[in-house]
Amino acid sequence: MSRSSPAVVGDIMIGDGYRVTASTSITALAEGLARHRLPGAPVVDAQDRLIGFISEQDVLGQLLDSAYHCGQPSLVGELMREVVLTVTPDKSIVDLAESMRGERPKVYPVVDDGHVIGLVTRREVLAALLTMRNRC
């Protein structure tokens, strides 16, 4: 983060964040989410355009079933959600914090002209709000 208080999502987003394609295996997705410590990931096409989103919650049952029955887990494209809540890099952090309250997603893809340019999680929003508060 910069020395000045962050004001918009672009100031705090994880640039070039973790993303997967519809043909990614659920096992590879779960490994990537664990490695990057993310609750979910955007699903993109070959041009890095957002086509869906998949979360830990979306795949938990599938992994449990495949582990228990020693079966093949599905592909991301079979389980992803196609309706995705996104933010733009110019969205106010305060507005995003308001919309993240309650049952809203813990991670949002940051998109510009339909392309995924990063991710923002509650963790980055909390850190930004603490920075703002400390400058009061």
Side-chain angles (χ1 to χ4, degrees), residues 20 24-27 29-30 33 38-43 50-66 73-85 103-107 109:
V20 295
T24 302
S25 74
I26 294 302
T27 303
L29 167 74
L33 292 178
L38 290 169
V43 184
L50 184 67
I51 61 168
F53 193 85
I54 190 151
S55 71
E56 294 167 319
Q57 184 177 359
D58 296 329
V59 300
L60 190 60
Q62 177 65 226
L63 275 179
L64 178 62
D65 188 55
S66 71
S74 301
L75 299 178
V76 165
E78 298 169 30
L79 297 177
M80 72 180 192
R81 286 177 269 141
E82 294 179 13
V83 176
V84 183
L85 293 176
E103 295 299 315
R104 294 299 202 146
K106 296 173 184 160
V107 58

Side-chain angles (χ1 to χ4, degrees), residues 85-97:
L85 293 176
T86 64
V87 294
T88 58
D90 60 348
K91 183 171 183 79
S92 158
I93 292 169
V94 172
D95 289 344
L96 178 57

